[in-house]
Protein backbone atom coordinates (compact mmCIF):
# COMPACT_ATOMS: atom_id res chain seq x y z
CA UNK A 1 0.00 0.00 0.00
CA UNK A 2 1.21 3.48 -0.85
CA UNK A 3 0.60 6.13 1.83
CA UNK A 4 0.22 9.52 0.24
CA UNK A 5 0.39 12.63 2.45
CA UNK A 6 -2.60 14.87 1.72
CA UNK A 7 -1.80 18.37 3.06
CA UNK A 8 -5.19 18.55 4.84
CA UNK A 9 -6.20 14.97 5.59
CA UNK A 10 -2.79 13.53 6.40
CA UNK A 11 -1.45 10.21 5.10
CA UNK A 12 -4.09 8.33 3.10
CA UNK A 13 -4.07 5.07 1.17
CA UNK A 14 -3.37 5.82 -2.50
CA UNK A 15 -6.57 3.92 -3.35
CA UNK A 16 -8.60 6.66 -1.58
CA UNK A 17 -7.06 9.38 -3.75
CA UNK A 18 -7.05 10.01 -7.48
CA UNK A 19 -3.72 9.90 -9.29
CA UNK A 20 -3.29 12.75 -11.78
CA UNK A 21 0.10 11.82 -13.15
CA UNK A 22 3.28 13.70 -13.93
CA UNK A 23 3.18 17.39 -13.32
CA UNK A 24 4.45 19.80 -15.97
CA UNK A 25 3.75 23.50 -16.38
CA UNK A 26 0.88 23.96 -18.85
CA UNK A 27 1.71 26.04 -21.92
CA UNK A 28 -0.26 29.25 -22.44
CA UNK A 29 -3.28 28.18 -24.58
CA UNK A 30 -3.26 31.60 -26.26
CA UNK A 31 0.27 31.41 -27.61
CA UNK A 32 1.24 27.71 -27.56
CA UNK A 33 2.07 26.14 -30.91
CA UNK A 34 0.45 22.82 -31.85
CA UNK A 35 3.77 21.11 -31.20
CA UNK A 36 4.11 22.57 -27.67
CA UNK A 37 0.51 21.75 -26.86
CA UNK A 38 0.75 18.13 -28.00
CA UNK A 39 4.09 17.69 -26.26
CA UNK A 40 2.40 18.83 -23.05
CA UNK A 41 -0.60 16.57 -23.63
CA UNK A 42 1.14 13.34 -24.60
CA UNK A 43 4.89 13.16 -23.95
CA UNK A 44 6.07 12.05 -20.50
CA UNK A 45 9.43 11.72 -18.76
CA UNK A 46 8.28 8.57 -16.92
CA UNK A 47 11.57 8.27 -14.98
CA UNK A 48 12.65 5.31 -12.92
CA UNK A 49 13.47 7.59 -9.99
CA UNK A 50 12.15 10.82 -8.50
CA UNK A 51 8.97 12.11 -10.13
CA UNK A 52 6.97 15.25 -9.40
CA UNK A 53 3.30 14.41 -9.69
CA UNK A 54 -0.22 15.65 -8.93
CA UNK A 55 -2.84 13.97 -6.75
CA UNK A 56 -6.47 14.78 -6.02
CA UNK A 57 -7.97 14.02 -2.61
CA UNK A 58 -11.21 12.78 -4.19
CA UNK A 59 -12.77 11.15 -1.14
CA UNK A 60 -11.57 13.73 1.39
CA UNK A 61 -10.88 17.45 1.23
CA UNK A 62 -10.95 17.64 -2.61
CA UNK A 63 -7.63 19.40 -2.82
CA UNK A 64 -5.20 19.04 -5.70
CA UNK A 65 -1.66 18.80 -4.41
CA UNK A 66 1.80 17.83 -5.58
CA UNK A 67 4.35 15.45 -4.15
CA UNK A 68 7.64 13.98 -5.27
CA UNK A 69 7.68 10.19 -5.29
CA UNK A 70 10.43 7.73 -6.13
CA UNK A 71 8.84 5.44 -8.72
CA UNK A 72 11.05 2.49 -7.82
CA UNK A 73 11.15 2.59 -4.02
CA UNK A 74 7.83 4.34 -3.29
CA UNK A 75 9.57 6.89 -1.03
CA UNK A 76 7.75 10.24 -0.88
CA UNK A 77 8.99 13.76 -0.23
CA UNK A 78 6.77 16.81 -0.29
CA UNK A 79 8.04 19.61 -2.51
CA UNK A 80 7.72 23.19 -1.25
CA UNK A 81 4.33 24.66 -2.15
CA UNK A 82 4.29 27.18 -5.00
CA UNK A 83 4.53 30.70 -3.62
CA UNK A 84 6.19 29.71 -0.36
CA UNK A 85 9.53 31.27 0.52
CA UNK A 86 11.43 28.04 -0.07
CA UNK A 87 9.86 27.41 -3.47
CA UNK A 88 12.34 26.89 -6.29
CA UNK A 89 12.42 28.64 -9.66
CA UNK A 90 10.31 26.07 -11.47
CA UNK B 1 32.86 -21.96 -40.04
CA UNK B 2 29.44 -22.56 -41.54
CA UNK B 3 26.62 -21.72 -39.18
CA UNK B 4 23.74 -24.10 -38.71
CA UNK B 5 20.51 -22.35 -39.63
CA UNK B 6 18.11 -24.82 -38.04
CA UNK B 7 18.29 -25.84 -34.41
CA UNK B 8 18.70 -29.50 -33.43
CA UNK B 9 15.36 -31.17 -34.00
CA UNK B 10 12.97 -32.00 -31.19
CA UNK B 11 11.05 -35.19 -31.96
CA UNK B 12 9.15 -37.99 -30.27
CA UNK B 13 12.03 -40.30 -31.13
CA UNK B 14 14.53 -37.97 -29.44
CA UNK B 15 12.35 -37.80 -26.35
CA UNK B 16 12.22 -41.60 -26.03
CA UNK B 17 15.94 -41.99 -26.78
CA UNK B 18 17.00 -39.42 -24.17
CA UNK B 19 14.46 -40.84 -21.72
CA UNK B 20 15.83 -44.37 -22.03
CA UNK B 21 19.50 -43.48 -22.07
CA UNK B 22 19.12 -40.64 -19.56
CA UNK B 23 21.32 -38.47 -21.78
CA UNK B 24 21.21 -34.83 -20.89
CA UNK B 25 19.68 -32.46 -23.42
CA UNK B 26 22.11 -30.16 -25.19
CA UNK B 27 22.19 -26.44 -24.39
CA UNK B 28 19.35 -24.78 -26.28
CA UNK B 29 21.23 -21.58 -27.07
CA UNK B 30 24.89 -20.63 -26.90
CA UNK B 31 26.56 -18.41 -24.36
CA UNK B 32 28.26 -16.29 -27.03
CA UNK B 33 31.66 -14.62 -26.77
CA UNK B 34 31.67 -10.87 -26.32
CA UNK B 35 31.95 -8.88 -29.54
CA UNK B 36 32.32 -5.13 -29.68
CA UNK B 37 30.55 -4.50 -33.00
CA UNK B 38 27.25 -5.67 -34.52
CA UNK B 39 25.03 -4.59 -37.41
CA UNK B 40 21.99 -4.42 -35.11
CA UNK B 41 21.70 -4.33 -31.32
CA UNK B 42 18.28 -5.18 -29.84
CA UNK B 43 17.70 -4.10 -26.25
CA UNK B 44 15.34 -6.41 -24.38
CA UNK B 45 15.32 -10.22 -24.53
CA UNK B 46 11.59 -10.75 -24.33
CA UNK B 47 9.23 -12.03 -27.00
CA UNK B 48 9.41 -8.75 -28.98
CA UNK B 49 13.20 -8.47 -28.98
CA UNK B 50 13.79 -12.14 -29.73
CA UNK B 51 11.12 -12.27 -32.44
CA UNK B 52 12.67 -9.22 -34.10
CA UNK B 53 16.10 -10.88 -33.99
CA UNK B 54 14.69 -14.16 -35.32
CA UNK B 55 12.88 -12.59 -38.27
CA UNK B 56 15.85 -10.33 -39.08
CA UNK B 57 17.91 -13.48 -39.50
CA UNK B 58 15.27 -15.80 -40.97
CA UNK B 59 13.49 -13.40 -43.35
CA UNK B 60 16.21 -10.88 -44.21
CA UNK B 61 19.51 -12.74 -43.73
CA UNK B 62 20.82 -10.17 -41.23
CA UNK B 63 22.58 -12.38 -38.68
CA UNK B 64 25.23 -10.10 -37.18
CA UNK B 65 22.75 -9.18 -34.45
CA UNK B 66 22.99 -9.00 -30.66
CA UNK B 67 20.11 -9.19 -28.20
CA UNK B 68 21.06 -7.75 -24.80
CA UNK B 69 18.98 -8.18 -21.65
CA UNK B 70 19.79 -6.95 -18.16
CA UNK B 71 18.48 -10.17 -16.59
CA UNK B 72 17.58 -13.45 -18.29
CA UNK B 73 15.52 -14.03 -21.45
CA UNK B 74 11.79 -13.63 -20.87
CA UNK B 75 12.23 -12.20 -17.38
CA UNK B 76 10.05 -9.14 -18.00
CA UNK B 77 6.52 -8.93 -19.33
CA UNK B 78 7.01 -12.02 -21.52
CA UNK B 79 7.02 -14.22 -18.43
CA UNK B 80 4.51 -12.21 -16.41
CA UNK B 81 1.47 -11.96 -18.68
CA UNK B 82 -1.61 -14.17 -18.61
CA UNK B 83 -0.80 -15.77 -22.00
CA UNK B 84 -4.11 -14.96 -23.72
CA UNK B 85 -4.18 -14.42 -27.49
CA UNK B 86 -6.99 -12.97 -29.60
CA UNK B 87 -7.60 -10.61 -32.51
CA UNK B 88 -11.06 -9.17 -31.83
CA UNK B 89 -9.94 -5.54 -31.60
CA UNK B 90 -11.91 -2.40 -32.24
CA UNK B 91 -10.04 -0.37 -34.86
CA UNK B 92 -9.39 -1.77 -38.37
CA UNK B 93 -5.65 -1.07 -37.83
CA UNK B 94 -5.64 -3.09 -34.63
CA UNK B 95 -7.67 -5.97 -36.05
CA UNK B 96 -5.42 -6.42 -39.09
CA UNK B 97 -2.33 -6.31 -36.93
CA UNK B 98 -3.36 -8.74 -34.19
CA UNK B 99 -4.89 -11.14 -36.71
CA UNK B 100 -1.51 -11.51 -38.40
CA UNK B 101 -0.08 -12.26 -34.95
CA UNK B 102 -2.65 -14.99 -34.36
CA UNK B 103 -1.79 -16.54 -37.74
CA UNK B 104 1.88 -16.66 -36.77
CA UNK B 105 1.04 -18.14 -33.35
CA UNK B 106 -1.03 -20.82 -35.09
CA UNK B 107 1.90 -22.18 -37.08
CA UNK B 108 4.59 -21.39 -34.53
CA UNK B 109 5.07 -24.89 -33.12
CA UNK B 110 5.96 -26.12 -36.61
CA UNK B 111 7.97 -23.06 -37.68
CA UNK B 112 10.13 -23.08 -34.56
CA UNK B 113 10.00 -26.86 -33.94
CA UNK B 114 9.07 -26.33 -30.31
CA UNK B 115 5.69 -27.10 -28.79
CA UNK B 116 4.32 -23.70 -27.72
CA UNK B 117 1.10 -25.36 -26.50
CA UNK B 118 -1.28 -23.08 -28.40
CA UNK B 119 -4.77 -23.91 -27.23
CA UNK B 120 -7.48 -22.46 -29.46
CA UNK B 121 -10.27 -22.61 -26.90
CA UNK B 122 -12.32 -19.53 -27.65
CA UNK B 123 -12.40 -16.12 -26.03
CA UNK B 124 -15.50 -14.60 -24.46
CA UNK B 125 -15.84 -10.94 -23.43
CA UNK B 126 -18.88 -10.46 -21.19
CA UNK B 127 -21.15 -7.42 -21.35
CA UNK B 128 -22.91 -6.30 -18.16
CA UNK B 129 -24.39 -3.05 -19.43
CA UNK B 130 -26.24 -1.86 -22.52
CA UNK B 131 -23.31 0.34 -23.50
CA UNK B 132 -20.89 -2.59 -23.20
CA UNK B 133 -23.21 -4.69 -25.36
CA UNK B 134 -23.24 -1.92 -27.95
CA UNK B 135 -19.42 -1.89 -28.04
CA UNK B 136 -19.41 -5.69 -28.41
CA UNK B 137 -21.73 -5.42 -31.43
CA UNK B 138 -19.49 -2.74 -32.89
CA UNK B 139 -16.39 -4.86 -32.41
CA UNK B 140 -18.11 -7.92 -33.90
CA UNK B 141 -19.03 -5.95 -37.04
CA UNK B 142 -15.51 -4.48 -37.44
CA UNK B 143 -14.11 -8.01 -37.02
CA UNK B 144 -16.52 -9.62 -39.51
CA UNK B 145 -15.67 -7.01 -42.14
CA UNK B 146 -12.05 -8.17 -41.93
CA UNK B 147 -12.97 -11.85 -42.07
CA UNK B 148 -12.47 -12.61 -38.39
CA UNK B 149 -14.69 -15.08 -36.58
CA UNK B 150 -16.39 -12.98 -33.91
CA UNK B 151 -20.04 -12.61 -32.87
CA UNK B 152 -22.29 -11.50 -30.02
CA UNK B 153 -23.99 -14.36 -28.18
CA UNK B 154 -26.84 -14.50 -25.64
CA UNK B 155 -26.63 -15.63 -21.98
CA UNK B 156 -28.13 -19.03 -22.90
CA UNK B 157 -25.21 -19.77 -25.24
CA UNK B 158 -22.73 -18.38 -22.73
CA UNK B 159 -23.96 -20.87 -20.16
CA UNK B 160 -23.46 -23.69 -22.67
CA UNK B 161 -19.85 -22.64 -23.35
CA UNK B 162 -18.91 -21.98 -19.71
CA UNK B 163 -21.36 -23.71 -17.35
CA UNK B 164 -19.73 -22.35 -14.19
CA UNK B 165 -20.72 -18.75 -15.00
CA UNK B 166 -23.71 -17.30 -13.16
CA UNK B 167 -25.93 -15.95 -15.97
CA UNK B 168 -29.05 -15.39 -13.85
CA UNK B 169 -30.59 -11.90 -14.02
CA UNK B 170 -30.47 -11.57 -10.21
CA UNK B 171 -26.77 -10.88 -9.84
CA UNK B 172 -25.33 -7.47 -9.06
CA UNK B 173 -23.94 -7.18 -12.59
CA UNK B 174 -26.13 -9.46 -14.76
CA UNK B 175 -24.51 -10.90 -17.87
CA UNK B 176 -26.43 -9.47 -20.85
CA UNK B 177 -24.37 -11.04 -23.62
CA UNK B 178 -20.84 -11.66 -24.76
CA UNK B 179 -18.52 -11.14 -27.69
CA UNK B 180 -17.46 -14.66 -28.63
CA UNK B 181 -14.25 -15.11 -30.57
CA UNK B 182 -13.51 -18.82 -31.25
CA UNK B 183 -9.94 -18.35 -32.66
CA UNK B 184 -8.71 -16.84 -29.37
CA UNK B 185 -7.08 -18.92 -26.70
CA UNK B 186 -4.00 -19.37 -24.57
CA UNK B 187 -0.39 -20.29 -25.24
CA UNK B 188 2.65 -21.27 -23.20
CA UNK B 189 4.37 -17.89 -22.95
CA UNK B 190 7.79 -19.18 -21.85
CA UNK B 191 7.85 -21.61 -24.77
CA UNK B 192 7.28 -18.73 -27.19
CA UNK B 193 10.34 -16.93 -25.77
CA UNK B 194 12.44 -20.10 -25.83
CA UNK B 195 11.33 -20.94 -29.37
CA UNK B 196 12.39 -17.56 -30.73
CA UNK B 197 15.62 -17.58 -28.70
CA UNK B 198 16.50 -21.01 -30.04
CA UNK B 199 15.60 -20.08 -33.60
CA UNK B 200 17.55 -16.82 -33.48
CA UNK B 201 20.56 -18.53 -31.92
CA UNK B 202 20.60 -21.18 -34.63
CA UNK B 203 20.79 -18.43 -37.24
CA UNK B 204 23.85 -16.99 -35.49
CA UNK B 205 22.27 -14.20 -33.43
CA UNK B 206 24.19 -13.58 -30.17
CA UNK B 207 22.00 -13.55 -27.05
CA UNK B 208 23.78 -11.66 -24.25
CA UNK B 209 21.98 -12.14 -20.94
CA UNK B 210 22.87 -10.31 -17.72
CA UNK B 211 24.06 -7.38 -19.84
CA UNK B 212 22.51 -4.12 -18.75
CA UNK B 213 22.43 -1.16 -21.13
CA UNK B 214 23.79 1.89 -19.28
CA UNK B 215 23.81 4.42 -22.10
CA UNK B 216 23.12 4.81 -25.80
CA UNK B 217 25.92 6.45 -27.76
CA UNK B 218 24.90 9.06 -30.31
CA UNK B 219 26.47 11.79 -32.44
CA UNK B 220 25.23 14.91 -34.18
CA UNK B 221 22.05 15.47 -32.17
CA UNK B 222 20.91 18.79 -30.76
CA UNK B 223 21.05 17.61 -27.12
CA UNK B 224 24.05 17.02 -24.83
CA UNK B 225 26.59 14.33 -25.97
CA UNK B 226 25.14 14.47 -29.50
CA UNK B 227 21.86 12.92 -28.42
CA UNK B 228 18.34 13.90 -29.35
CA UNK B 229 16.54 14.70 -32.61
CA UNK B 230 18.74 15.08 -35.66
CA UNK B 231 21.49 12.83 -34.35
CA UNK B 232 22.34 9.26 -35.11
CA UNK B 233 23.09 6.18 -33.03
CA UNK B 234 26.65 4.83 -32.90
CA UNK B 235 26.30 2.11 -30.29
CA UNK B 236 25.42 1.19 -26.72
CA UNK B 237 27.36 1.22 -23.46
CA UNK B 238 26.61 -1.87 -21.38
CA UNK B 239 27.67 -3.23 -18.02
CA UNK B 240 30.06 -5.53 -19.94
CA UNK B 241 31.55 -2.93 -22.27
CA UNK B 242 30.72 -0.83 -25.32
CA UNK B 243 29.16 -2.20 -28.51
CA UNK B 244 29.39 -0.30 -31.79
CA UNK B 245 26.25 -0.56 -33.91
CA UNK B 246 24.56 1.65 -36.51
CA UNK B 247 21.10 0.36 -35.54
CA UNK B 248 19.66 0.00 -32.05
CA UNK B 249 16.13 -1.32 -31.41
CA UNK B 250 14.36 -0.61 -28.12
CA UNK B 251 12.07 -3.52 -27.11
CA UNK B 252 12.05 -2.92 -23.37
CA UNK B 253 8.32 -2.55 -22.54
CA UNK B 254 8.05 -1.11 -19.02
CA UNK B 255 11.54 0.36 -19.18
CA UNK B 256 10.99 1.87 -22.64
CA UNK B 257 11.11 5.47 -21.42
CA UNK B 258 14.38 5.10 -19.54
CA UNK B 259 16.09 3.44 -22.55
CA UNK B 260 14.68 5.98 -25.04
CA UNK B 261 15.75 8.77 -22.68
CA UNK B 262 19.34 7.56 -23.07
CA UNK B 263 19.09 8.46 -26.77
CA UNK B 264 17.39 11.79 -26.04
CA UNK B 265 13.93 10.63 -27.22
CA UNK B 266 10.81 11.37 -25.15
CA UNK B 267 7.93 8.92 -25.45
CA UNK B 268 4.19 9.24 -24.75
CA UNK B 269 4.45 6.41 -22.22
CA UNK B 270 3.85 5.89 -18.53
CA UNK B 271 4.78 2.69 -16.72
CA UNK B 272 2.07 0.96 -14.68
CA UNK B 273 2.19 -2.45 -13.02
CA UNK B 274 -0.48 -5.00 -13.96
CA UNK B 275 -1.12 -7.63 -11.33
CA UNK B 276 -2.10 -11.22 -11.93
CA UNK B 277 -2.74 -14.23 -9.73
CA UNK B 278 -3.09 -17.99 -9.96
CA UNK B 279 -5.09 -20.51 -7.90
CA UNK B 280 -4.38 -24.07 -6.86
CA UNK B 281 -4.92 -26.59 -9.70
CA UNK B 282 -8.31 -28.29 -10.02
CA UNK B 283 -10.04 -30.50 -12.58
CA UNK B 284 -10.79 -28.85 -15.92
CA UNK B 285 -14.10 -26.99 -15.71
CA UNK B 286 -13.59 -23.73 -17.63
CA UNK B 287 -13.20 -24.50 -21.34
CA UNK B 288 -12.92 -20.92 -22.67
CA UNK B 289 -11.16 -17.71 -21.77
CA UNK B 290 -13.60 -15.44 -19.92
CA UNK B 291 -13.17 -11.67 -19.75
CA UNK B 292 -15.30 -9.08 -18.04
CA UNK B 293 -14.54 -5.44 -18.72
CA UNK B 294 -16.99 -4.05 -16.20
CA UNK B 295 -15.72 -6.33 -13.43
CA UNK B 296 -12.04 -5.80 -14.33
CA UNK B 297 -11.10 -9.45 -14.55
CA UNK B 298 -10.02 -12.05 -17.06
CA UNK B 299 -9.72 -15.69 -16.26
CA UNK B 300 -8.58 -18.85 -18.01
CA UNK B 301 -7.71 -22.33 -16.86
CA UNK B 302 -4.23 -23.61 -17.69
CA UNK B 303 -3.52 -27.12 -18.96
CA UNK B 304 -2.31 -27.90 -15.43
CA UNK B 305 -5.72 -26.92 -14.03
CA UNK B 306 -4.83 -23.65 -12.30
CA UNK B 307 -7.03 -20.64 -12.84
CA UNK B 308 -5.05 -17.63 -14.05
CA UNK B 309 -6.54 -14.23 -13.24
CA UNK B 310 -5.56 -10.83 -14.50
CA UNK B 311 -7.02 -7.41 -13.90
CA UNK B 312 -6.59 -3.82 -15.04
CA UNK B 313 -3.36 -1.90 -14.57
CA UNK B 314 -2.74 -0.18 -11.24
CA UNK B 315 -3.69 3.50 -11.46
CA UNK B 316 -0.39 4.86 -10.12
CA UNK B 317 2.64 4.97 -12.43
CA UNK B 318 5.48 3.02 -10.83
CA UNK B 319 8.36 0.66 -11.60
CA UNK B 320 7.69 -1.24 -8.38
CA UNK B 321 6.28 -4.72 -8.98
CA UNK B 322 4.97 -5.30 -5.47
CA UNK B 323 1.42 -6.60 -5.00
CA UNK B 324 -1.40 -4.78 -3.23
CA UNK B 325 -4.21 -5.95 -0.99
CA UNK B 326 -6.73 -3.90 -2.99
CA UNK B 327 -5.99 -6.04 -6.03
CA UNK B 328 -6.58 -9.35 -4.25
CA UNK B 329 -9.77 -8.15 -2.59
CA UNK B 330 -11.30 -6.76 -5.78
CA UNK B 331 -10.20 -9.72 -7.86
CA UNK B 332 -11.69 -12.27 -5.45
CA UNK B 333 -14.93 -10.31 -5.19
CA UNK B 334 -15.34 -9.97 -8.93
CA UNK B 335 -14.46 -13.58 -9.71
CA UNK B 336 -17.05 -14.75 -7.18
CA UNK B 337 -19.69 -12.54 -8.77
CA UNK B 338 -19.04 -14.34 -12.06
CA UNK B 339 -18.53 -17.82 -10.63
CA UNK B 340 -19.96 -18.15 -7.11
CA UNK B 341 -18.94 -21.82 -7.01
CA UNK B 342 -15.26 -20.90 -6.58
CA UNK B 343 -15.58 -19.52 -3.04
CA UNK B 344 -13.53 -22.36 -1.51
CA UNK B 345 -10.67 -22.12 -3.99
CA UNK B 346 -7.32 -20.93 -2.70
CA UNK B 347 -5.11 -18.37 -4.38
CA UNK B 348 -1.56 -19.68 -4.66
CA UNK B 349 0.42 -16.67 -5.74
CA UNK B 350 0.26 -13.17 -7.12
CA UNK B 351 2.71 -11.17 -9.22
CA UNK B 352 2.96 -8.04 -11.33
CA UNK B 353 4.48 -7.08 -14.67
CA UNK B 354 5.23 -3.61 -15.99
CA UNK B 355 3.04 -2.22 -18.78
CA UNK B 356 4.11 0.69 -20.95
CA UNK B 357 0.83 2.55 -21.38
CA UNK B 358 0.21 5.04 -24.21
CA UNK B 359 -2.63 7.58 -24.35
CA UNK B 360 -4.46 5.71 -27.16
CA UNK B 361 -3.76 2.12 -26.02
CA UNK B 362 -1.82 1.44 -29.20
CA UNK B 363 1.89 0.75 -29.56
CA UNK B 364 4.69 3.02 -30.75
CA UNK B 365 6.65 1.31 -33.51
CA UNK B 366 9.22 2.26 -36.09
CA UNK B 367 11.89 4.94 -36.48
CA UNK B 368 12.44 7.87 -34.10
CA UNK B 369 13.92 11.35 -34.66
CA UNK B 370 17.32 9.81 -33.84
CA UNK B 371 18.62 8.08 -36.96
CA UNK B 372 19.17 4.36 -36.44
CA UNK B 373 17.24 4.24 -33.17
CA UNK B 374 14.03 2.23 -33.54
CA UNK B 375 11.31 1.59 -30.98
CA UNK B 376 8.88 -1.27 -30.53
CA UNK B 377 7.25 -0.15 -27.31
CA UNK B 378 4.03 1.20 -25.80
CA UNK B 379 2.41 -2.21 -25.73
CA UNK B 380 0.51 -1.66 -22.56
CA UNK B 381 -1.54 -4.74 -21.82
CA UNK B 382 -1.46 -6.18 -25.37
CA UNK B 383 2.27 -6.91 -25.73
CA UNK B 384 2.35 -10.67 -25.56
CA UNK B 385 -0.45 -11.17 -28.11
CA UNK B 386 1.45 -9.04 -30.58
CA UNK B 387 4.93 -10.54 -30.16
CA UNK B 388 5.25 -12.47 -33.44
CA UNK B 389 3.80 -9.83 -35.78
CA UNK B 390 5.81 -7.06 -34.10
CA UNK B 391 9.00 -9.03 -34.56
CA UNK B 392 8.17 -9.70 -38.19
CA UNK B 393 7.25 -6.09 -38.99
CA UNK B 394 10.08 -4.51 -36.99
CA UNK B 395 12.57 -6.80 -38.74
CA UNK B 396 11.18 -5.63 -42.09
CA UNK B 397 11.31 -2.01 -40.92
CA UNK B 398 14.95 -2.27 -39.81
CA UNK B 399 16.12 -4.34 -42.79
CA UNK B 400 14.52 -2.21 -45.52
CA UNK B 401 14.57 1.13 -43.67
CA UNK B 402 10.94 1.61 -44.75
CA UNK B 403 7.91 1.43 -42.45
CA UNK B 404 5.70 -1.56 -43.40
CA UNK B 405 2.02 -0.79 -44.03
CA UNK B 406 0.85 -2.87 -41.06
CA UNK B 407 2.68 -0.68 -38.54
CA UNK B 408 2.38 2.70 -40.29
CA UNK B 409 -0.55 3.78 -38.05
CA UNK B 410 1.61 3.22 -34.95
CA UNK B 411 4.39 5.71 -35.73
CA UNK B 412 5.74 7.92 -32.94
CA UNK B 413 4.90 10.97 -35.06
CA UNK B 414 1.13 10.35 -34.65
CA UNK B 415 1.28 12.13 -31.30
CA UNK B 416 2.74 15.30 -32.78
CA UNK B 417 0.53 15.07 -35.88
CA UNK B 418 -2.63 14.46 -33.86
CA UNK B 419 -3.53 11.12 -35.51
CA UNK B 420 -4.11 8.84 -32.53
CA UNK B 421 -5.48 5.32 -33.08
CA UNK B 422 -7.92 4.91 -30.19
CA UNK B 423 -7.89 1.24 -29.21
CA UNK B 424 -9.11 1.73 -25.66
CA UNK B 425 -12.55 0.29 -26.42
CA UNK B 426 -10.99 -3.09 -27.13
CA UNK B 427 -9.11 -3.29 -23.85
CA UNK B 428 -9.99 -6.58 -22.23
CA UNK B 429 -10.74 -4.71 -19.03
CA UNK B 430 -11.52 -1.09 -18.27
CA UNK B 431 -8.65 1.23 -17.38
Amino acid sequence: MLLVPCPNCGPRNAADLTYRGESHPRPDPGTATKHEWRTYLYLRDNPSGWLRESWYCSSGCRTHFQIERHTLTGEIRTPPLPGSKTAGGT
Amino acid sequence: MARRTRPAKYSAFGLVRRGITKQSWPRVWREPDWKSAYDVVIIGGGVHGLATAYYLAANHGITNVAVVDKAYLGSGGSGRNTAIVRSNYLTPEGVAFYDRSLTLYNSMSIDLNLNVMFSERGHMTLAHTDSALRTMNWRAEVNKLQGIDSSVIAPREIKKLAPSLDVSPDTRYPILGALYHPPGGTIRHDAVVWGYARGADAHGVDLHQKTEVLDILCEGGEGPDGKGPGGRVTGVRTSRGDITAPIVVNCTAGWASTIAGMAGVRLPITTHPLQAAVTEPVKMFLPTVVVSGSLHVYVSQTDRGELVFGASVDPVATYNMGGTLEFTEELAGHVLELMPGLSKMRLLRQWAGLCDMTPDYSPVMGPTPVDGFFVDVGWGTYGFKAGPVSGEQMAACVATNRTPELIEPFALSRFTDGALVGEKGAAAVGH
Side-chain angles (χ1 to χ4, degrees), chain A residues 13 38 44-47 69 71, chain B residues 257 271 317-319 326 416:
Chain A
N13 183 353
R38 285 173 179 153
R44 299 285 181 270
D45 291 334
N46 191 31
R69 180 176 57 96
T71 56
Chain B
S257 299
T271 297
T318 174
Y319 287 77
E326 286 88 30
T416 41

Side-chain angles (χ1 to χ4, degrees), chain B residues 284-308:
Chain B
M284 196 49 130
F285 71 95
L286 186 67
T288 64
V289 180
V290 175
V291 177
S292 167
S294 311
L295 293 180
H296 299 294
V297 68
Y298 36 95
V299 50
S300 65
Q301 192 167 18
T302 66
D303 296 319
R304 264 200 305 253
E306 303 142 326
L307 284 186
V308 179

Side-chain angles (χ1 to χ4, degrees), chain B residues 78 81-85 105 108 114-119 185-195 302-304 384:
Chain B
S78 297
N81 59 77
T82 47
I84 297 170
V85 294
Y105 268 135
M108 184 176 285
L114 185 79
N115 185 2
V116 292
M117 296 166 79
F118 181 37
S119 163
T186 61
I187 203 164
R188 177 82 202 277
H189 52 193
D190 294 324
V192 173
V193 171
W194 300 331
T302 66
D303 296 319
R304 264 200 305 253
F384 175 70

Side-chain angles (χ1 to χ4, degrees), chain B residues 232-422:
Chain B
R232 62 164 298 104
V233 156
T234 56
V236 292
R237 174 157 296 150
T238 77
S239 54
R240 290 169 65 195
D242 286 6
I243 302 175
T244 316
I247 293 173
V248 174
V249 188
N250 176 6
C251 300
T252 52
W255 291 271
S257 299
T258 55
I259 295 290
M262 291 174 188
V265 175
R266 269 183 101 199
L267 295 173
I269 284 175
T270 52
T271 297
H272 294 256
L274 195 158
Q275 299 186 55
V278 64
T279 66
E280 59 189 342
V282 293
K283 258 191 184 174
M284 196 49 130
F285 71 95
L286 186 67
T288 64
V289 180
V290 175
V291 177
S292 167
S294 311
L295 293 180
H296 299 294
V297 68
Y298 36 95
V299 50
S300 65
Q301 192 167 18
T302 66
D303 296 319
R304 264 200 305 253
E306 303 142 326
L307 284 186
V308 179
F309 304 117
S312 46
V313 291
D314 290 356
V316 182
T318 174
Y319 287 77
N320 187 331
M321 288 189 274
T324 59
L325 183 62
E326 286 88 30
F327 164 76
T328 326
E329 278 183 326
E330 279 182 30
L331 176 77
H334 289 156
V335 168
L336 290 182
E337 270 164 38
L338 290 178
M339 293 183 274
L342 301 187
S343 60
K344 291 278 192 289
M345 251 178 132
R346 282 170 295 191
L347 217 54
L348 280 193
R349 57 184 184 276
Q350 173 187 1
W351 69 94
L354 295 182
C355 296
D356 35 348
M357 308 301 294
T358 54
D360 60 354
Y361 290 77
S362 298
V364 183
M365 300 179 80
T368 65
V370 176
D371 201 18
F373 183 63
F374 293 81
V375 287
D376 171 23
V377 298
W379 285 100
T381 58
Y382 307 148
F384 175 70
K385 298 169 185 70
V389 66
S390 314
E392 186 191 55
Q393 300 301 315
M394 281 309 293
C397 183
V398 169
T400 61
N401 208 13
R402 280 207 318 270
T403 309
E405 200 182 326
L406 218 46
I407 63 172
E408 247 171 27
F410 306 128
L412 177 59
S413 57
R414 76 177 184 272
F415 294 96
T416 41
D417 300 343
L420 277 63
V421 179

Side-chain angles (χ1 to χ4, degrees), chain B residues 120-132:
Chain B
E120 195 180 282
R121 55 177 68 179
H123 183 283
M124 208 156 51
T125 316
L126 306 176
H128 303 272
T129 60
D130 286 341
S131 58

Side-chain angles (χ1 to χ4, degrees), chain A residues 68-84:
Chain A
E68 280 175 1
R69 180 176 57 96
H70 197 284
T71 56
L72 204 56
T73 63
E75 201 184 334
I76 287 173
R77 60 186 188 203
T78 316
L81 291 169
S84 72

